[in-house]
Amino acid sequence: MEMYIVLAITLFMMISFIWHKVPFGVTTMTCCLLLAMTGIMDIQSAFSGFGNKIVILIAPMLALSAVLTKTSLVAKISAMMNAAKGKRGVVLIIAFYLIGAVFAQFIPSTAALTILVVFLATLGNTGDITANRLLMPLLGILCAWKFRLPIGMGASTFATLNALYEGILPDSQYALTMMDPFLFAVIPTIVLTVYCLLGWRLMPGDDQLDQSALKESKKVELLSRNQEIFVYLVFAAVMLLMILNKWTGNLLYLAPALGVLVLIYARIIKVEEAVKGMTSDMVWMIAGVLVVADALGKSGAGNAIGSLILSILGENPGSFTVMLIFSAATVVMTTFLS
């Protein structure tokens, strides 16, 4: 019975994610509550996601990445955008995409798009390259490159992936390294980038870009030169501790928190700003998804899904059939949930 309850809760999570009438974090916290109320998990286990080492890694990393928006980094990128406006042809498009890919490593997609659309709107509505034609391809670039490079939030991707299935496959030989997500994503990322470089011509070029529905980008008070250098040094130190995780061990998970505390003590960021970053919807979502993934493993629901795939494969499947079925199952499932 437990297995069916867990599968039902997982199905609810999938539908709620797609429907998106409430934030993702609220959905996953509802799942945690249901797991506790139905007795599948005790209260401590149902909300143990907040104490998971991945949340301890991700939450301060979000706050640390947010500090970069208070440096001149964004202003320098904006200056590059202004310089790119004078270009035409493929140089202009490459400039937009390159800067979008950089933004995608540190800034949430919504904020990045808000900043970039301001520059897109200045292109006008004449010639082949217009704002309307570049908007959807730019979204594709942001999706393709989001947290892909092993810097910023991308440096923690491998640890997040490891945590998602450690309750199902505890064997350490299946653990990913920091470079694995990048190495396995680089080919589809490049393919999608090339497609966006060519596919913008398929978009209609009429009408002026409407910015009314976009959230207004808030002005932030920039740090002083000395504070900015200090932030860069702290960020570099955190990245180094994470990159050298083979030797630094558990410091991988503690480095972002250490960096945030150093910046708080240095009075570069306020406690309120750090707390806001560390209690975002993404943190709630990850904490809840980790618990649901754990429930899938312990209840036998994960085995049931695996057995279904094995029954489709048959007794003596060829290697191509195995790859085809597993790839198809992965594509279908990741369309709906992590």
Side-chain angles (χ1 to χ4, degrees), residues 63-112:
L64 194 61
S65 295
V67 180
L68 290 176
T69 62
K70 299 176 69 175
T71 68
S72 62
L73 179 65
V74 174
K76 290 176 180 177
I77 294 176
S78 298
M80 291 173 59
M81 293 293 290
N82 279 321
K85 286 190 299 183
K87 307 294 183 181
R88 281 295 163 189
V90 72
V91 175
L92 173 64
I93 298 173
I94 291 175
F96 271 113
Y97 290 176
L98 179 62
I99 292 168
V102 173
F103 272 156
Q105 308 311 309
F106 305 102
I107 304 174
S109 298
T110 304

Side-chain angles (χ1 to χ4, degrees), residues 107-229:
I107 304 174
S109 298
T110 304
L113 184 64
T114 301
I115 296 170
L116 292 170
V117 162
V118 173
F119 293 96
L120 275 180
T122 62
L123 291 177
N125 198 36
T126 59
D128 289 336
I129 302 176
T130 64
N132 267 353
R133 280 186 142 183
L134 289 186
L135 181 59
M136 284 302 293
L138 183 59
L139 278 171
I141 294 295
L142 291 175
C143 292
W145 288 94
K146 184 177 180 181
F147 305 156
R148 290 302 184 198
L149 300 178
I151 58 174
M153 288 299 299
S156 61
T157 300
F158 80 104
T160 304
L161 294 173
N162 285 337
L164 288 175
Y165 63 77
E166 67 180 359
I168 301 171
L169 289 172
D171 195 330
S172 60
Q173 70 171 315
Y174 294 106
L176 301 173
T177 65
M178 181 178 287
M179 290 300 296
D180 284 339
F182 170 73
L183 293 176
F184 283 95
V186 65
I187 292 179
T189 297
I190 290 174
V191 170
L192 180 54
T193 301
V194 171
Y195 177 75
C196 290
L197 280 170
L198 303 175
W200 63 271
R201 294 181 181 275
L202 303 175
M203 302 300 297
D206 300 326
D207 301 326
Q208 189 65 28
L209 186 65
D210 182 13
Q211 302 182 58
S212 61
L214 290 172
K215 294 180 179 179
E216 185 179 352
S217 181
K218 295 181 179 179
K219 299 288 184 180
V220 294
E221 184 179 349
L222 296 180
L223 301 174
S224 68
R225 179 61 179 168
N226 289 337
Q227 288 177 322
E228 184 175 319
I229 292 174

Side-chain angles (χ1 to χ4, degrees), residues 64 67 230-231 233-235 237-238 241 254-269 274:
L64 194 61
V67 180
F230 190 74
V231 167
L233 290 174
V234 169
F235 193 84
V238 169
L241 287 172
L254 302 177
L258 179 61
V260 170
L261 286 174
V262 169
L263 293 178
I264 290 176
Y265 282 121
R267 297 187 177 183
I268 292 178
I269 59 173

Side-chain angles (χ1 to χ4, degrees), residues 273-290:
E273 293 174 330
V275 170
K276 183 178 179 181
M278 292 190 290
T279 55
S280 66
D281 182 60
M282 182 177 178
V283 174
W284 283 43
M285 182 189 72
I286 292 175
V289 167
L290 289 172

